[in-house]
Amino acid sequence: MSDSRPIGIFDSGMGGLTAVKEVIRALPYERIVYFGDTARVPYGPKSRETVIRFSIENILFLLKYKVKLIIIACNTASSVALSIARKNFKVPIIGVISPGVDEAVRVTKNKRIGVIGTRTTINSQTYEKMIKQQSPKIKVYSAECPLFVPLVEVGWLNTQITKQVAGLYLLPLKSKKIDTIVLGCTHYPLLKPVIKEILGQGVTLVDSARQVAMQAKEILIRQRLLAPKKNRGEGNLRFYVSDEPDNFAELGKRFLGFDLKNVRKVSNV
Ligand code: DGL
């Protein structure tokens, strides 16, 4: 049995494209509908209630495309809206937090993990709680990095200013002797070179994109929802944004490594 309905993926902006890239790699025949809520990015400094409302609206938007699985490719939304979304919708929904937690707990040797994310993600303490659930002895050091998302959204991935900002956020974590850091925001993998430079070789960077793609694959296999193998082609990827599409298409190329066709603005979210 196969199912050619698309997978729906959303984020507040471009960050979720890091998950899209891995989903394409793990599931090359699947159609994908991506929604980037660029008119309302960033979600990170917004209240829990607002992020939940946006997340529900985004899910309702994706459901119009008859998606068979939804990936909340946003840590902020996953940390506050995943369980509510699961209770309210029948479609399988996965978030990006538990895959990152599993990986971090697996790779840490000295049991000292750093977590960086947006304000709402860090305030929710979701990472900390989930890591401690798996291994109560692990020490977790968290830091919010509110300027990272705007830096990524404007494409300042490796500038002097980006390095200075990263230094301010990350050096206090480095001094805690962490050996693993969770990039708890889907925008942050784009800053990996800068983050690595500051934290040094001894710290493993964990981003959940790969793990979330593998989780999506497992669900599709288990529920017999994989797409038929013939389902290839450019039409497989559709991108919708809530603000002007040009910037998204241009920067999206950096995330995905190829030109983004089919980026359309929608105003009904
Ligand atoms: N990329 C998102 C995350 O993973 C949200 C960033 C934001 O909009 O502040 O948290």
Side-chain angles (χ1 to χ4, degrees):
M1 246 183 42
S2 61
D3 189 327
S4 55
R5 288 175 302 157
I7 296 173
I9 303 180
F10 80 84
D11 177 45
S12 58
M14 334 267 314
L17 294 179
T18 51
V20 170
K21 190 172 183 175
E22 293 299 335
V23 172
I24 293 172
R25 210 146 70 105
L27 293 160
Y29 302 111
E30 296 297 329
R31 292 162 57 213
I32 295 172
V33 178
Y34 182 87
F35 177 64
D37 197 4
T38 49
R40 305 192 287 197
V41 68
Y43 282 10
K46 299 199 167 74
S47 70
R48 201 185 127 77
E49 292 68 32
T50 300
V51 175
I52 292 173
R53 177 163 58 83
F54 289 174
S55 302
I56 300 293
E57 287 167 5
N58 299 344
I59 291 169
L60 288 170
F61 172 76
L62 289 172
L63 287 174
K64 288 187 200 158
Y65 296 88
K66 310 251 177 293
V67 293
K68 59 185 172 187
L69 168 76
I70 289 179
I71 300 177
I72 304 185
C74 172
N75 289 260
T76 311
S78 300
S79 68
V80 297
L82 179 62
S83 52
I84 293 171
R86 280 183 172 155
K87 276 187 207 130
N88 283 284
F89 297 98
K90 281 206 200 96
V91 65
I93 303 178
I94 55 179
V96 276
I97 302 218
S98 74
V101 166
D102 293 348
E103 180 68 359
V105 170
R106 197 180 65 78
V107 300
T108 183
K109 298 223 162 37
N110 73 358
K111 309 253 178 262
R112 301 171 81 83
I113 298 177
V115 176
I116 51 173
T118 67
R119 180 160 299 168
T120 297
T121 301
I122 299 301
N123 282 347
S124 75
Q125 298 185 337
T126 308
Y127 271 104
E128 198 162 343
K129 286 179 201 150
M130 289 179 74
I131 292 171
K132 295 263 184 207
Q133 256 167 26
Q134 288 203 26
S135 182
K137 288 213 175 106
I138 291 180
K139 292 239 181 310
V140 183
Y141 301 95
S142 305
E144 53 182 73
C145 305
L147 292 176
F148 277 180
V149 169
L151 285 167
V152 170
E153 291 278 331
V154 295
W156 286 19
L157 305 182
N158 213 341
T159 65
Q160 216 37 49
I161 291 179
T162 310
K163 286 183 192 170
Q164 282 171 356
V165 169
L168 286 172
Y169 291 148
L170 301 174
L171 289 174
L173 287 180
K174 192 177 177 184
S175 71
K176 304 285 185 205
K177 310 254 182 298
I178 55 167
D179 72 349
T180 304
I181 187 160
V182 182
L183 309 185
C185 171
T186 50
H187 283 71
Y188 298 177
L190 273 284
L191 300 173
K192 268 185 184 170
V194 170
I195 296 172
K196 267 195 185 137
E197 195 179 311
I198 290 165
L199 293 178
Q201 291 305 321
V203 179
T204 307
L205 275 46
V206 170
D207 84 70
S208 49
R210 177 91 190 126
Q211 275 73 33
V212 89
M214 297 319 291
Q215 210 176 357
K217 188 173 180 177
E218 262 172 50
I219 292 175
L220 295 186
I221 292 172
R222 207 174 339 116
Q223 301 198 8
R224 297 170 179 260
L225 294 174
L226 281 173
K229 291 206 168 161
K230 60 179 170 32
N231 219 347
R232 270 187 200 278
E234 264 175 23
N236 275 6
L237 304 176
R238 281 180 177 212
F239 300 95
Y240 295 95
V241 287
S242 49
D243 205 350
E244 66 88 30
D246 294 348
N247 185 46
F248 183 89
E250 203 184 303
L251 277 173
K253 197 174 166 184
R254 293 206 203 177
F255 277 70
L256 292 176
F258 57 81
D259 283 328
L260 273 67
K261 313 233 162 64
N262 296 326
V263 182
R264 291 198 204 142
K265 182 183 170 203
V266 285
S267 48
N268 54 343
V269 185

